Amino acid sequence: MSGVLLREHPDAHDCGAHPERSSVTLLGPFALRRAGVDAPLGPPKQQALLAVLLLQPGRTLGLQQLVEALWGQRPPAHTKNLLQKYLSGLRPALTAHGMTVEWTGSGYRLDPGAACVDLYAYDRLAAAGRTALAAGQPAEAARLLDRARARKGGPLAEGLDAPLLERERIFTRSRILIDFELRAELELELGRHREAIPYLECLVHSHELHERFVWLLMLALHRAGRDGEALTAYRDHQRRAAQELGAEPGPALTRLHLAVLRQDPALGSLSALSTPAARPATSTPGARPATETRSSVVSR
């Protein structure tokens, strides 16, 4: 489990309002920059140390925690000296960007200051999107999730090697995929089936064995009157699953396939949301009701 699920940072979601503000890229190639100029951060392991500290802002990390985060169970000799060397190498760049790392007596603690950190912004926007959905505001939820998605530039701390970063990379990838699912679900809930298709085709291409994306793409194609393409999407996935996993599509996808074949009218009102959510007090124009159908098509 990630050490930090939601990084608290004032105005983290408002990065675009301050073009001269220092910014940190964690979702993609790691960088600290201001006004388009990258700060010199030293060798890769020194950069990895900064990335580890940024993943847990305001939290004191002991020497052993940092050693395990950077080297795992087989650290090199003199790790304390190496950590101190790396921190000394980072401090000029951090000071220039209003960031600090202090020794608390039990470990090191980073304060990112006013820097905009893309991962913090992503966390806040995605959380705000889910809150909006729970409050019955699907259009606002979609808008916020779009803003969160714009923050993703690549894998977490791309290019840096450290055991903790590898674990966080897996966690962050899985969490972002869930957010992408929700964004696609919302597009269908809002009745924008044609608009959802290109987005879902891209997701299926990027994550070929992720059945939920195939399910959503098939539903969007069906509702757009493109049943032939929906059935082709199923057959393509069936072939990939057989070739790469030696398995058949799961029951939810199989049920949807059969429903498309028999033109089940329940597909018109089937909720695309994978979890129940509060509905708006007044209906959104173009939106479909998110009530669960009793048809055998139900995907969950």
Side-chain angles (χ1 to χ4, degrees):
M1 179 61 71
S2 170
V4 176
L5 300 184
L6 181 63
R7 284 86 180 176
E8 290 293 341
H9 189 254
D11 299 322
H13 59 290
D14 193 29
C15 297
H18 308 282
E20 296 302 315
R21 183 175 176 182
S22 296
S23 64
V24 177
T25 300
L26 273 168
L27 295 173
F30 185 61
L32 168 62
R33 62 174 61 92
R34 183 168 55 221
V37 179
D38 285 7
L41 297 176
K45 192 62 77 174
Q46 183 169 295
Q47 295 182 44
L49 171 60
L50 178 55
V52 165
L53 290 167
L54 282 162
L55 286 171
Q56 307 197 53
R59 179 181 174 187
T60 298
L61 298 177
L63 289 174
Q64 189 57 38
Q65 286 177 289
L66 290 173
V67 168
E68 291 178 1
L70 291 174
W71 292 287
Q73 299 302 311
R74 295 188 176 182
H78 311 298
T79 52
K80 182 177 180 181
N81 291 339
L82 279 173
L83 286 172
Q84 291 173 341
K85 176 184 175 183
Y86 292 154
L87 288 165
S88 295
L90 288 170
R91 279 198 173 95
L94 296 181
T95 299
H97 287 265
M99 304 167 69
T100 61
V101 177
E102 63 176 358
W103 172 256
T104 67
S106 57
Y108 290 99
R109 182 171 60 209
L110 178 135
D111 180 357
C116 166
V117 183
D118 60 353
L119 181 59
Y120 305 172
Y122 182 96
D123 286 342
R124 282 181 168 270
L125 287 164
R130 291 181 178 278
T131 298
L133 179 59
Q137 301 172 354
E140 176 65 5
R143 187 187 71 82
L144 289 164
L145 286 169
D146 276 341
R147 290 182 61 195
R149 185 179 58 178
R151 292 286 165 191
K152 186 182 182 302
L156 180 75
E158 186 176 3
L160 297 182
D161 180 29
L164 183 135
L165 295 181
E166 289 296 330
R167 294 193 297 273
E168 287 277 349
R169 210 166 275 143
I170 294 169
F171 172 80
T172 300
R173 177 182 180 275
S174 296
R175 188 164 54 87
I176 288 175
L177 277 181
I178 292 171
D179 293 336
F180 282 9
E181 281 183 17
L182 178 58
R183 179 62 188 89
E185 292 168 357
L186 284 168
E187 200 73 353
L188 294 180
E189 288 295 297
L190 291 165
R192 302 193 293 237
H193 317 307
R194 289 177 176 81
E195 293 85 346
I197 290 169
Y199 174 56
L200 283 163
E201 286 177 333
C202 180
L203 289 174
V204 169
H205 178 76
S206 302
H207 309 279
E208 291 185 339
L209 297 177
H210 197 82
E211 281 201 359
R212 181 63 178 164
F213 291 149
V214 181
W215 191 96
L216 290 165
L217 175 60
M218 287 180 63
L219 184 60
L221 287 166
H222 168 75
R223 288 180 174 174
R226 296 160 62 176
D227 285 341
E229 292 170 73
L231 296 172
T232 297
Y234 177 85
R235 288 194 296 270
D236 288 345
H237 177 76
Q238 186 180 43
R239 184 179 62 254
R240 287 192 300 267
Q243 290 175 346
E244 300 189 32
L245 303 176
E248 286 293 314
L253 200 60
T254 301
R255 287 195 297 270
L256 180 60
H257 175 242
L258 293 173
V260 173
L261 283 172
R262 65 174 180 260
Q263 294 292 291
D264 190 334
L267 289 175
S269 59
L270 175 66
S271 174
L273 288 171
S274 56
T275 55
R279 309 310 300 158
T282 58
S283 60
T284 302
R288 291 182 178 271
T291 54
E292 292 287 347
T293 176
R294 295 184 182 181
S295 164
S296 60
V297 178
V298 174
S299 67
R300 272 68 70 187

